[in-house]
Amino acid sequence: PRLPRPPIHYLRSHFQEATDIYKRLLLENREHLALNVYVALCYCKLDYYDVSLEILAVYLQSHPDSALAVNLKACNHFRLYNGKAAEAELKSLGEHAGPSGSFTDNDLIRHNLVVFRGGENALQVLPPLAGVPPEARLNLVVYHLRSGEPHEAFKLIKDLEPTTPQEYILKGVVHATIGQTGTQAAQQDGVEHLKMAQQCFQIVGASASECDTIPGRQCMASCFFLLKQFDDVLIYLKSVANFSQSDDDFNWNYGIATAATGDYKTGEETLLLIQNPKHRQDYCFVSWLARCHIMNGKARLAWELYLRMETNDESFALLQLIANDCYKMGAFFYATKAFDVLERLDPNPEFWEGKRGAAMGVFQMIVAGNEPKESLRDILNMLRNTSNPQVEYFVRTIRKWAKENGVKVG
């Protein structure tokens, strides 16, 4: 009568309870080697991958061709190392997994190969599995997210009632992705998605079983991030920083959170650690890095970020950020350059006023000896790029000073 209890605990995700019962059974029945697989499976679910491998080795000594055991060993290697290491373990199955002599005949292994290979053949392999294993649907959701198809991911997960931390996290990520990328017309829907994301992350982060785990603390950080409570974000991210410093997603969140709290030096250093090309091309990344550059006295680097962008709404928004932040920080030369381009793209009187003020700021710095005199020529050329009649007065004033001080301005 005791034996059915561990599987029930396992199915309910009560992995610690299942582990304790299986271990007692194993002590009483050491000849039942298969119990080692169940214990190893529980430890894998509890994120003790090294322990899982040690226990699994006992069973594999007697049954090296067990598809279940070898697959579990591969999963542990995936968690500890990477997909290539995991796939190498599967190859040991050889001819034992199917009638055709290919270990890929096993649905579970075909599913895991998709995961180990970063989503390769996901659309061919995962949909026919119809949720067996249950991770198949979740990994298809992950595939759509990574492919930039959050609405396809949402179709798969919208009716899911989460019961495990992984399901809550994934549903939260889908809601957060849609909520942060919604159009202006869908703004209200976006707010609702963000609320759902916050709830999912908070449920995991505040739960007794997850609050002290890395995923649990990352969930609380994500919840506060969506609420724009960045001081609280940093409390949780700092607690897991030693385990996540090479992770681009962690560095994204940590870099933006530190910058948002005014620590632009750390923000700049952290954002520059990000390697993923998609992350580095995202406007959110570019704009925060530009702001960090400017606040750290490196306005030229912010300007170079703009020059590498294509002309579109995002580059226009970045110009406005550069113009205003540079003006605020006294980097008047690059503020003038930004306002000059803005005025040529949109003859808004505010852009002329910004350019005029920034140009006078550069002029004052040149007079005080804090800016190279050679900058005057560029300033004059930019001032002339306007139809505003006020420009002639400023040009005459600058040319007069240049002549009196032997500065050639053409």
Side-chain angles (χ1 to χ4, degrees), residues 19-48:
T19 303
D20 293 340
I21 296 173
Y22 277 133
K23 284 169 68 177
R24 285 201 301 272
L25 289 170
L26 188 57
L27 287 173
E28 297 168 6
N29 306 274
R30 290 189 180 277
E31 70 280 5
H32 295 166
L33 292 178
L35 287 170
N36 287 282
V37 179
Y38 296 126
V39 176
L41 188 57
C42 289
Y43 274 117
C44 179
K45 289 290 188 178
L46 290 167
D47 297 342
Y48 293 115

Side-chain angles (χ1 to χ4, degrees), residues 280-355:
R280 296 182 70 91
Q281 291 166 9
D282 191 290
Y283 175 71
C284 184
F285 169 86
V286 174
S287 60
W288 274 107
L289 183 59
R291 172 160 286 170
C292 288
H293 285 325
I294 294 166
M295 297 301 173
N296 291 328
K298 305 172 186 176
R300 180 181 61 81
L301 295 179
W303 183 250
E304 289 175 359
L305 286 174
Y306 161 72
L307 293 178
R308 290 197 289 270
M309 294 184 72
E310 296 180 3
T311 302
N312 52 32
D313 290 345
E314 290 183 348
S315 64
F316 190 81
L318 185 65
L319 273 173
Q320 291 179 288
L321 182 150
I322 291 173
N324 291 310
D325 279 8
C326 282
Y327 198 104
K328 175 182 176 182
M329 294 302 294
F332 294 118
F333 182 75
Y334 287 99
T336 308
K337 289 172 76 72
F339 277 122
D340 177 52
V341 179
L342 285 168
E343 189 192 18
R344 281 185 279 152
L345 293 171
D346 177 7
N348 186 325
E350 290 184 2
F351 295 147
W352 156 248
E353 292 170 6
K355 182 167 76 170

Side-chain angles (χ1 to χ4, degrees), residues 235-273:
I235 290 172
Y236 286 96
L237 289 184
K238 285 178 180 178
S239 72
V240 298
N242 290 338
F243 307 97
S244 311
Q245 288 174 339
S246 61
D247 180 76
D248 280 348
D249 293 330
F250 173 84
N251 288 327
W252 173 287
N253 291 332
Y254 192 72
I256 291 175
T258 50
T261 56
D263 184 0
Y264 296 106
K265 183 176 183 296
T266 303
E268 180 182 33
E269 292 171 351
T270 307
L271 289 173
L272 288 172
L273 294 174

Side-chain angles (χ1 to χ4, degrees), residues 52-320:
S52 179
L53 284 172
E54 290 177 16
I55 296 170
L56 199 57
V58 178
Y59 181 79
L60 283 170
Q61 284 178 353
S62 302
H63 304 279
D65 58 348
S66 167
L68 177 62
V70 172
N71 179 68
L72 179 54
K73 183 179 180 181
C75 291
N76 282 313
H77 277 263
F78 177 69
R79 294 294 189 179
L80 288 170
Y81 309 113
N82 53 45
K84 286 185 177 180
E87 190 172 348
E89 292 299 323
L90 288 181
K91 288 178 181 177
S92 67
L93 286 175
E95 60 186 25
H96 299 289
S100 69
S102 170
F103 63 83
T104 57
D105 284 349
N106 183 298
D107 283 346
L108 180 62
I109 292 174
R110 290 174 65 237
H111 165 272
N112 285 351
L113 279 174
V114 170
V115 178
F116 298 162
R117 294 171 180 173
E120 183 181 312
N121 297 323
L123 293 179
Q124 290 74 38
V125 175
L126 300 183
L129 296 178
V132 181
E135 290 84 359
R137 173 178 290 193
L138 301 182
N139 282 315
L140 191 55
V141 171
V142 171
Y143 171 81
H144 284 304
L145 285 174
R146 288 179 173 171
S147 301
E149 301 166 342
H151 291 283
E152 292 299 316
F154 181 64
K155 289 177 185 176
L156 290 169
I157 207 167
K158 64 180 180 179
D159 296 325
L160 172 72
E161 291 296 335
T163 58
T164 67
Q166 292 76 17
E167 290 172 348
Y168 275 107
I169 292 170
L170 193 53
K171 192 158 188 173
V173 170
V174 172
H175 280 297
T177 303
I178 295 176
Q180 293 179 103
T181 57
T183 61
Q184 192 72 22
Q187 191 170 13
Q188 186 56 43
D189 283 345
V191 171
E192 292 304 315
H193 279 294
L194 292 178
K195 284 182 180 178
M196 290 297 298
Q198 291 163 17
Q199 290 173 13
C200 289
F201 292 141
Q202 189 169 19
I203 287 170
V204 177
S207 69
S209 62
E210 300 296 320
C211 63
D212 289 326
T213 67
I214 293 174
R217 294 188 178 192
Q218 287 175 326
C219 280
M220 286 306 297
S222 297
C223 175
F224 285 121
F225 196 103
L226 294 175
L227 293 168
K228 301 188 186 307
Q229 297 178 15
F230 295 108
D231 287 317
D232 293 318
V233 171
L234 291 176
I235 290 172
Y236 286 96
L237 289 184
K238 285 178 180 178
S239 72
V240 298
N242 290 338
F243 307 97
S244 311
Q245 288 174 339
S246 61
D247 180 76
D248 280 348
D249 293 330
F250 173 84
N251 288 327
W252 173 287
N253 291 332
Y254 192 72
I256 291 175
T258 50
T261 56
D263 184 0
Y264 296 106
K265 183 176 183 296
T266 303
E268 180 182 33
E269 292 171 351
T270 307
L271 289 173
L272 288 172
L273 294 174
I274 294 173
Q275 300 297 316
N276 188 320
K278 285 187 177 180
H279 284 19
R280 296 182 70 91
Q281 291 166 9
D282 191 290
Y283 175 71
C284 184
F285 169 86
V286 174
S287 60
W288 274 107
L289 183 59
R291 172 160 286 170
C292 288
H293 285 325
I294 294 166
M295 297 301 173
N296 291 328
K298 305 172 186 176
R300 180 181 61 81
L301 295 179
W303 183 250
E304 289 175 359
L305 286 174
Y306 161 72
L307 293 178
R308 290 197 289 270
M309 294 184 72
E310 296 180 3
T311 302
N312 52 32
D313 290 345
E314 290 183 348
S315 64
F316 190 81
L318 185 65
L319 273 173
Q320 291 179 288

